[in-house]
């Protein structure tokens, strides 16, 4: 399964939004190399003023010392959960996504060994947990959030797993991983069967004028 994922992500040409001048961030989507692979998630600490209690992949804003966005993802993962960068086998990047607060977020997928002694930074997180990939490949969503941006409806799955809710931006990243990395029939722009939960329509946070002079961050090639 993971070898097939590696090959597919190496062939993927993800959508990039480098032409827009925006604050940058990156996340690491850690695939845990178990007999039955899992995905590793974190939960934001309840005392935080923003995103408290939300489930996310390890990640955060790019810092000036980060040579590229993959370095950002690795640094944030090390700071948040104690994941040593050398233990991550990079598979490639997914398409850029825009957060509700106007950040351009680049997801990176990497394989990590099982049973690492990971520790959540109490200043940022209150949980680290894994979910079997099969949970998502079998599409065990509880409902679908309908998030309309600039008149375009996005059908974003919401998963409830052991008291955790995986939805929003993280679920949007998951959709591309499942579709492109595993060949699953799932699409953000096609209405799936089942319950729908509608959110108020909002405008995109893309700048009005693209900055075509912005340098493109380096890619990581295996």
């Amino acid at each position: 399964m993971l070898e097939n994922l590696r090959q597919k992500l190496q062939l993927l040409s993800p959508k990039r939004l480098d032409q827009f001048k925006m604050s940058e961030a990156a996340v690491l989507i850690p695939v845990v190399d178990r007999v039955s692979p899992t995905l590793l998630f974190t939960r934001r600490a309840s005392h935080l003023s923003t995103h408290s209690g939300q489930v996310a992949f390890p990640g955060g804003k790019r810092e000036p010392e980060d040579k590229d966005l993959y370095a950002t993802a690795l640094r944030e993962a090390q700071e948040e959960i104690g994941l040593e960068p050398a233990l991550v086998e990079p598979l490639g990047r997914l398409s850029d996504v825009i957060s509700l607060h106007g950040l351009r977020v680049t997801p990176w997928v990497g394989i990590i060994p099982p049973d690492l002694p990971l520790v959540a930074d109490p200043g940022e997180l209150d949980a680290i947990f894994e979910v079997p990939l099969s949970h998502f490949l079998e599409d065990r969503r509880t409902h679908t959030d309908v998030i309309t941006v600039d008149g375009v409806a996005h059908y974003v799955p919401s998963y409830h797993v052991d008291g955790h809710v995986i939805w929003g931006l993280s679920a949007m990243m998951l959709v591309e991983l499942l579709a492109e990395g595993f060949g699953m029939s799932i699409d953000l722009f096609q209405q799936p069967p089942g319950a729908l939960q509608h959110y108020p329509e909002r405008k995109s946070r893309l700048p009005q004028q693209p900055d075509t002079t912005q340098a493109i961050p380096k890619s990581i090639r295996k």
Side-chain angles (χ1 to χ4, degrees):
M1 176 187 284
L2 297 189
E3 179 56 34
N4 188 50
L5 173 63
R6 179 185 293 105
Q7 293 174 5
K8 289 193 173 184
L9 291 187
Q10 287 176 346
L11 296 174
L12 180 65
S13 297
K15 181 176 69 175
R16 304 178 67 147
L17 299 174
D18 302 300
Q19 71 271 32
F20 295 102
K21 187 176 182 180
M22 308 177 72
S23 295
E24 297 175 301
V27 301
L28 179 68
I29 301 179
V31 182
V32 185
D33 189 6
R34 299 188 182 278
V35 175
S36 296
T38 63
L39 293 180
L40 184 144
F41 295 87
T42 66
R43 189 178 66 207
R44 305 288 292 170
S46 58
H47 67 263
L48 295 175
S49 59
T50 58
H51 308 301
S52 61
Q54 290 189 7
V55 168
F57 296 110
K61 284 187 176 182
R62 183 175 186 173
E63 299 292 346
E65 65 270 19
D66 296 336
K67 67 177 183 178
D68 52 36
L69 287 165
Y70 181 63
T72 299
L74 291 182
R75 176 183 54 75
E76 287 284 344
Q78 185 173 30
E79 292 175 0
E80 291 184 353
I81 62 175
L83 176 61
E84 292 294 333
L87 296 177
V88 181
E89 178 191 349
L91 299 187
R93 66 183 286 172
L94 301 179
S95 296
D96 293 341
V97 291
I98 305 301
S99 78
L100 184 62
H101 299 284
L103 280 175
R104 186 175 76 239
V105 184
T106 301
W108 293 88
V109 182
I111 297 175
I112 65 172
D115 305 317
L116 294 174
L118 303 176
V119 178
D121 175 4
E124 296 192 47
L125 307 174
D126 59 20
I128 303 170
F129 64 98
E130 297 177 34
V131 179
L133 256 172
S134 59
H135 188 94
F136 305 109
L137 292 170
E138 294 167 8
D139 204 351
R140 297 189 215 167
R141 72 180 76 190
T142 53
H143 68 271
T144 300
D145 293 320
V146 184
I147 302 173
T148 303
V149 182
D150 295 339
V152 178
H154 297 68
Y155 296 94
V156 185
S158 180
Y159 309 92
H160 292 210
V161 186
D162 298 331
H164 303 291
V165 182
I166 302 165
W167 70 294
L169 207 66
S170 296
M172 293 176 72
M173 298 173 190
L174 267 177
V175 167
E176 184 177 24
L177 176 66
L178 297 170
E180 300 294 345
F182 296 98
M184 181 176 169
S185 180
I186 187 171
D187 191 326
L188 283 176
F189 303 103
Q190 297 294 324
Q191 180 176 332
L196 302 178
Q197 180 171 320
H198 291 263
Y199 284 81
E201 182 172 352
R202 62 184 178 88
K203 298 293 184 181
S204 70
R205 298 296 297 270
L206 288 173
Q208 293 299 311
Q209 295 296 329
D211 176 11
T212 57
T213 63
Q214 184 177 5
I216 297 176
K218 298 175 184 176
S219 296
I220 297 297
R221 293 188 178 272
K222 183 83 170 66

